[in-house]
Each structure stands twice: as C-alpha cells, then as structure tokens.
Amino acid sequence: MKLRPYQQKNADEILACLARGVRGTLYALPTAGGKTATVVRGVIREVVNLGWPTVFLVHRRELLHQAVRTLARVGIQASVVDQDHDLDPLALVHVCSIDTLKARKKRLAGWLLTIKLVVVDEAHHAVAAGWQALLEDFTNALILGVTATPYRGDGKPLGVLFNEAVRGPSVAELTPRWLCPAEVWEPWSPDTSGVPISRGDFAVGELDRLMNNDKITKMAMNAYAARMPGEPAIVFCVSIAHARRAAAISAAYGWRAIAVDGEMSDTDRDSAIDGLASGYYQHLMSCQLVNEGTDIPVVSGAINLRPTKSTQLKKQQDGRVLRTHFGKTRSCIIDMAGGANLHGLPDADLLWTLEDGLIPIRHRTIRCPKCHRRFEPGPFCPSCSMAFPHWRQTTLPVLAGVSEHILRKLPTQELERFVASEIDIRHIARAKGLANSWIYHASQRLRERQNERRRA
Ligand SMILES: [Zn+2]
C-alpha cells in the first residue's frame, strides 16, 4: 500500500527535520488521518534502511499491538518491550510500553544510549510526570512526537520537548475524501456557568448533577430517533452512574445499549465495543474510556452528554465518528453539551504553536431555531433551508484578538484557513509584512469561499 499524497509530503518534511538533526519534531495530524502509517511507512522504514536503532513508544496495550502490526506490514519485525516481554537486543526496531521502560530504565540505561530515533505516539501525554525524564535518558536520539492534538489537555503548550512542528492537513482538508463529514444537531444546551472548574475542566461531581438528568437524556434520545434511528452511536457521559442511567433510558426506548467504564475487565469492554461494531448494540455509553484511540469506523453517531472545557477532549470525542467506512456518507452528532458552540464544529480549524499551545479564537456558528442544526455561517440552514439573511453579521473577524507576535510564528497558508473577513486579511498582512498583492488575492479567495457557501 502506498502513502496518500499528504502522508508522503509530511513524511518527507519529517525526514528533512531528522536530517537536520532537530532534537524534537512534533507531527500533528487529525484523528483518522493515518499518523501511524505515515510514520511507519514514511519515516521508520527509511531510517531502518540507514541502520538507525529505533524505539516506538506507546502508552496503551491496544496501541502497542497496532504498532507491531503496522510495522510487520512493511516487513519490519519489531521486538516488544512490555511487562511480559524483555528487550531483544538484536532487533533494530522496538515497540515499547512507556510504563515498562520507566520501570526498567536503570537496567536499560546502556541500551537507551544506542537508540537514534524515538517515536512518541499520542505525544500530547509527553509532558506527564516521568515521560520527559525518560525521553531525556535517550541522550543520543532524535525525538518524533505524533499527535492529533498538539497541546496539553488544558491547552497549554507541549513544553520544551519539541523544537519544530510538521503540520498535516486539517480536518476540513481531509473531508470528504479521507474523513467523513459530520452534522451537528443541538436540541438543547446546558448552562454550565454555575459549574466550578477543577484542573482546567468542569468539576465532575457538579457536572454530573447537571447532566445526569433523565429529561436531558430523553431529549437526546428523541433527537437520535429523528436524525439517525438505529445507527451505531457512542454516548459520552460524565460518570459511571450517568453512563448506566443513560443506557437504561436508551433500552427503555427499545435500543440495545451497554455502558462501559474503567472498572470493567478488558474482555467485557472489548466485547461491548465489538457488539457496537457488529451492529448488535446501537448505543455504547462511555465514561472517559472511548475518547481516545478506540477505532470503530462503522460508528456514525455520537450523543454528547459530557460538556468539557478541554478542546483536546472535545476533539477526541469528535474524532470517534469521523472515520470513513463503506456505505457511511455522513456522521451525526447530537450535541447536548454545548461543545460545538464553545470549541467549534468538528472540522473547525484550531490555531496553535509549539511555544503558545492552543490559541483561543471565537468560533462562529449559527444554530437553526427551526431544526436545531448548528452550522458554519451561511445564508441558509443546510438541513431545512431556513433563510438567514443577516448571516454575514456572524462572520466577524476571527483573528482580531490574536497578537501580531503569534501570527508571525504561523505559516501564512495555515492562517488563511481562519480568515472570515477583510479585517482578518489586513491583520495577517500587517503582522507578516505581506504585500498588497497578497491582500488582493486573499480577499478574492475569501469572496470565492463565501460565494460557494451561498450556492451550497
Ligand atoms: Zn434548519
């Protein structure tokens, strides 16, 4: 299998960073964009040909096996280092559990020095205690971090670990060819103003009192029945009790539903996930578990009953429905958590830099009062065709609040994705010292995009 054009381009950019000896490179690509394939086929295969001893670091069991399988497909027999497997010093590529390496790092100190490349999967965790110290022990290695969310859970930057970023295409650019388009429906939204914040997100106890409410769950079930009856959906819940209660309500509506949580055995959890994938269950209620890395491509629905302040968590939730699958033409998100309003639609672009982390911008969307669809500003509701003659008033400048200092750090092409008005264009041009000809062409491109929306 060949790499997709953008994967090949990104792999070449990563290899260029390695050739220049950049100590820390961060590769950002949306969920389901094919990060592992890009890195394994495009990067690891190349450095293995150069004889570089390579470590692929993962923090969960499923990811470990996934990495070993992807490596095997390109003919690389990787050794596994986890609690059941010891180091095979003869192998060139090692897939390692982070926890195991942390525990054995004294014993393996000599070997750590021989490694030339360390790939860190889901690198947004790399600032966690112990990870950074472990990476520093790979004294002679270059570090390649890979993530869909290139900032911490609270939006802060990934710290001192990475010096250069390779930016893959955005969700919007990957849709519809490589990702499935998602519709957002918002029958109701919570008032979270009274919920205290703890460690950057809503305090779970208070949030549970707000959201573990049968009326809200029933509203969501009615919207599900109207928009995607019978389609496999993940239901994001606040607590284990909330997940179980929501599953009971779903069952009362006649759907087959199961709640999964961290207290379940791996076998029970895997069989619940398989049941959703095979079509036996319609609803999988999840508390924290299915946010990250659980790939069930057939899933075409999400019911979000878990408000979050964390853009990272929201992007992980959205990512669960964006995978393409045979016969799947669109996904539906029933948003009872006010998520699209706060963090943007699933294909909203996010502004970030390595030094500043996630840069807050206002996401402009319209909620149709008639059918409750939430959509990118345009003259008509894409679902019921209700007219919004004043839609342009919602396309106020997006970048106005972003400092020129930050704009200068970002590629112009990246910034242009955010342009919503002429004011944005002038702001970019001023910050980056761009010529009038760029302003002229960027304004034309903006008008073309707006015209396209009018025709759609
Ligand atoms: Zn509508």
Side-chain angles (χ1 to χ4, degrees):
M1 232 175 82
K2 271 182 63 179
L3 286 176
R4 300 165 183 172
Y6 68 85
Q7 291 176 327
Q8 189 60 59
K9 174 174 172 280
N10 292 159
D12 292 343
E13 288 164 340
I14 293 167
L15 288 171
C17 287
L18 299 182
R20 279 189 287 121
V22 175
R23 162 78 173 163
T25 303
L26 185 68
Y27 177 40
L29 185 69
T31 303
K35 286 180 286 291
T36 311
T38 309
V39 168
V40 167
R41 289 166 199 276
V43 178
I44 295 182
R45 194 161 52 167
E46 297 298 322
V47 301
V48 161
N49 287 338
L50 300 173
W52 286 25
T54 298
V55 159
F56 194 104
L57 276 182
V58 295
H59 74 109
R60 279 183 304 121
R61 180 180 57 100
E62 308 93 277
L63 297 173
L64 193 123
H65 296 303
Q66 196 188 318
V68 170
R69 277 197 304 272
T70 315
L71 284 159
R73 258 181 252 138
V74 295
I76 298 173
Q77 288 307 110
S79 96
V80 170
V81 181
D82 65 1
Q83 51 183 9
D84 306 321
H85 298 84
D86 229 338
L87 175 72
D88 171 4
L90 295 177
L92 203 51
V93 179
H94 309 265
V95 180
C96 305
S97 139
I98 285 202
D99 290 332
T100 308
L101 275 202
K102 269 194 327 206
R104 298 183 194 163
K105 82 177 183 184
K106 278 222 174 76
R107 181 151 68 78
L108 297 175
W111 171 74
L112 296 179
L113 297 177
T114 66
I115 300 302
K116 289 200 74 177
L117 175 66
V118 179
V119 177
V120 187
D121 202 8
E122 307 207 19
H124 48 276
H125 293 295
V127 284
W131 287 44
Q132 207 162 328
L134 175 65
L135 290 173
E136 278 162 14
D137 285 345
F138 287 99
T139 317
N140 301 314
L142 304 180
I143 313 281
L144 169 61
V146 186
T147 181
T149 49
Y151 38 82
R152 297 187 344 194
D154 55 7
K156 297 233 166 63
L158 284 184
V160 292
L161 281 170
F162 302 102
N163 326 93
E164 287 198 28
V166 171
R167 294 165 182 269
S170 64
V171 172
E173 285 164 338
L174 292 171
T175 310
R177 175 118 197 246
W178 310 110
L179 292 181
C180 181
E183 300 173 350
V184 175
W185 305 88
E186 190 183 301
W188 176 84
S189 60
D191 176 6
T192 48
S193 57
V195 182
I197 306 294
S198 159
R199 294 199 292 166
D201 202 355
F202 296 118
V204 168
E206 296 285 333
L207 193 62
D208 193 49
R209 269 190 285 285
L210 176 69
M211 297 303 294
N212 190 356
N213 173 323
D214 291 359
K215 259 195 201 152
I216 300 171
T217 310
K218 286 175 182 171
M219 256 190 286
M221 287 300 151
N222 290 334
Y224 170 82
R227 302 298 169 198
M228 49 169 162
E231 291 183 41
I234 295 176
V235 185
F236 295 104
C237 299
V238 180
S239 64
I240 295 176
H242 186 202
R244 290 184 183 154
R245 181 70 197 148
I249 293 172
S250 159
Y253 273 71
W255 307 116
R256 273 199 283 259
I258 187 163
V260 294
D261 60 62
E263 290 174 10
M264 278 173 122
S265 72
D266 286 350
T267 330
D268 286 352
R269 197 200 56 160
D270 290 350
S271 93
I273 290 173
D274 289 346
L276 184 70
S278 71
Y280 179 80
Y281 292 116
Q282 282 84 45
H283 293 157
L284 183 79
M285 278 63 186
S286 161
C287 160
Q288 288 289 338
L289 261 182
V290 190
N291 296 334
E292 192 179 67
T294 312
D295 296 328
I296 320 168
V298 68
V299 167
S300 54
I303 299 176
N304 202 336
L305 305 175
R306 202 286 186 213
T308 181
K309 288 284 258 190
S310 162
T311 302
Q312 185 177 75
L313 176 56
K314 178 67 170 73
K315 288 290 148 189
Q316 287 165 356
Q317 291 171 341
D318 289 348
R320 303 281 69 84
V321 299
L322 297 180
R323 276 179 198 277
T324 54
H325 188 257
F326 181 73
K328 176 172 158 187
T329 55
R330 63 93 188 86
S331 286
C332 275
I333 297 173
I334 310 286
D335 184 6
M336 309 296 277
N341 191 29
L342 184 60
H343 303 288
L345 294 165
D347 62 354
D349 277 313
L350 297 174
L351 205 57
W352 60 276
T353 71
L354 287 175
E355 301 85 5
D356 310 278
L358 188 65
I359 296 152
I361 51 169
R362 264 300 292 279
H363 293 279
R364 310 276 173 189
T365 57
I366 295 178
R367 177 182 177 269
C368 174
K370 203 166 124 197
C371 73
H372 306 157
R373 174 87 181 255
R374 194 174 270 286
F375 57 97
E376 201 182 336
F380 300 101
C381 169
S383 292
C384 72
S385 302
M386 181 168 165
F388 291 86
H390 305 297
W391 68 282
R392 273 170 194 282
Q393 286 168 11
T394 61
T395 59
L396 295 167
V398 167
L399 298 174
V402 181
S403 75
E404 294 194 4
H405 170 69
I406 286 176
L407 293 186
R408 273 195 289 276
K409 287 191 234 174
L410 287 151
T412 306
Q413 221 184 333
E414 181 91 6
L415 287 171
E416 217 188 307
R417 295 172 181 169
F418 295 87
V419 164
S421 78
E422 298 275 340
I423 299 170
D424 286 330
I425 293 174
R426 287 178 190 282
H427 189 40
I428 297 172
R430 203 165 41 241
K432 305 202 76 165
L434 298 169
N436 282 338
S437 60
W438 181 81
I439 297 182
Y440 172 79
H441 289 293
S443 305
Q444 273 201 322
R445 287 191 288 266
L446 171 66
R447 273 193 294 277
E448 271 164 37
R449 283 202 302 278
Q450 290 181 335
N451 286 339
E452 254 169 53
R453 221 163 294 160
R454 199 169 297 122
R455 282 192 297 270

